[in-house]
Amino acid sequence: MSDGTTAVGRASRQPLVAGIAAALALLTLVTVAVLWLTSDRSEGTTDTGTPKDTSAEAGFARDMSVHHQQAVEMSFIVRDRTTDDEVRRLAFDIASTQATQAGMLQGWLDMWGLDKTSEDPPMTWMKNASSDGMDGMEGMEGMDHGSMKGMGGGAYKPHDGSLMPGMATNTQLDELRKAKGKAAEVLYLKLMTAHHKGGVDMAKGAVELVKDSTEKHLARTMVQGQQSEIQLMADMLKARGASA
């Protein structure tokens, strides 16, 4: 009886999930268009104000899109591995926010006439980022210097599907798929905390290097939002007798 009820419940959620995805896609397109049309692009990286293929604008848009896509994937995985409302609500918030932001970043690449992928290694655009504080980041926590070493062609080496600092490996994703209940919750919170820390460092690099005012603003928003969620996840882990 319980299996049948679960199957019906999952089936009934499919139209809702599809509707949410469609709404997010529409919102993303509208947001990209409005922000692009109303933004100040006087500091563009070409004579026409359009970022070049090798610019920080393009590099950040590509790399953060990939980074965000894994966060969305992990959030959908844990949704089906636990019934805990708090974790499922956090997973929904992260998936919704990062799917929308990834859509904005890819939308800008389309508007700039640039490919969504590059032959350069991930984080190449960050090679000129400073490691001892960045312009315009007053009031925010300092960058994790250890993570910075792995960015911009530094010490970090992609492995087992982990392309950038903070990203989970394929092995870790498989473990999350197999975990259930509290074990899945704890693993998700640990993986997402590491993921957020890598994302925050990348976004701080964008705040320093990106000239496009709209993209810079989005990067600032990412820093603030993900730092807040890191603290929230620390509290959630503590409540479950664990730590990041």
Side-chain angles (χ1 to χ4, degrees):
M1 182 68 176
S2 60
D3 290 343
T5 302
T6 301
V8 171
R10 289 181 177 176
S12 65
R13 290 199 299 269
Q14 294 306 312
L16 176 60
V17 172
I20 292 173
L24 286 174
L26 178 60
L27 177 61
T28 296
L29 290 174
V30 173
T31 303
V32 168
V34 172
L35 289 176
W36 179 256
L37 290 172
T38 59
S39 65
D40 176 10
R41 297 187 296 282
S42 59
E43 295 183 340
T45 54
T46 70
D47 291 341
T48 61
T50 301
K52 298 179 181 179
D53 188 67
T54 57
S55 66
E57 285 82 358
F60 175 66
R62 290 170 179 141
D63 287 345
M64 189 58 86
S65 292
V66 173
H67 210 269
H68 273 16
Q69 286 165 8
Q70 190 186 69
V72 173
E73 179 184 5
M74 288 195 292
S75 296
F76 276 105
I77 291 173
V78 80
R79 180 199 63 177
D80 295 330
R81 305 307 299 167
T82 180
T83 59
D84 184 87
D85 289 338
E86 184 181 31
V87 172
R88 287 168 62 91
R89 183 164 52 249
L90 173 66
F92 176 81
D93 289 344
I94 290 174
S96 300
T97 299
Q98 298 209 13
T100 299
Q101 291 175 344
M104 293 172 66
L105 293 167
Q106 292 182 9
W108 285 330
L109 288 170
D110 281 337
M111 288 186 176
W112 297 332
L114 301 177
D115 292 336
K116 292 185 174 64
T117 59
S118 172
E119 295 182 359
D120 293 332
M123 317 307 297
T124 300
W125 60 275
M126 284 193 68
K127 62 182 181 293
N128 295 321
S130 64
S131 60
D132 54 355
M134 282 170 281
D135 181 37
M137 295 303 293
E138 294 84 355
M140 293 186 181
E141 296 179 12
M143 175 171 276
D144 182 340
H145 292 184
S147 294
M148 273 299 299
K149 292 179 182 179
M151 296 183 173
Y156 191 83
K157 301 298 182 183
H159 62 287
D160 192 23
S162 177
L163 303 178
M164 290 168 270
M167 290 187 69
T169 63
N170 291 330
T171 300
Q172 290 172 325
L173 292 179
D174 287 339
E175 291 174 357
L176 182 60
R177 293 186 183 97
K178 296 174 183 177
K180 187 176 182 181
K182 181 179 177 181
E185 297 162 18
V186 170
L187 181 55
Y188 171 76
L189 292 170
K190 287 183 175 182
L191 293 177
M192 192 58 74
T193 296
H195 200 275
H196 270 24
K197 287 180 178 179
V200 166
D201 288 345
M202 194 198 313
K204 285 182 177 179
V207 171
E208 178 190 12
L209 299 175
V210 164
K211 295 180 179 179
D212 182 272
S213 60
T214 307
E215 191 174 16
K216 185 187 290 285
H217 174 73
L218 178 62
R220 286 181 181 275
T221 300
M222 291 178 184
V223 171
Q224 294 165 346
Q226 292 191 35
Q227 284 181 334
S228 177
E229 287 176 343
I230 287 172
Q231 182 57 56
L232 172 61
M233 289 188 287
D235 294 339
M236 293 171 69
L237 281 167
K238 184 177 181 180
R240 290 162 175 77
S243 64

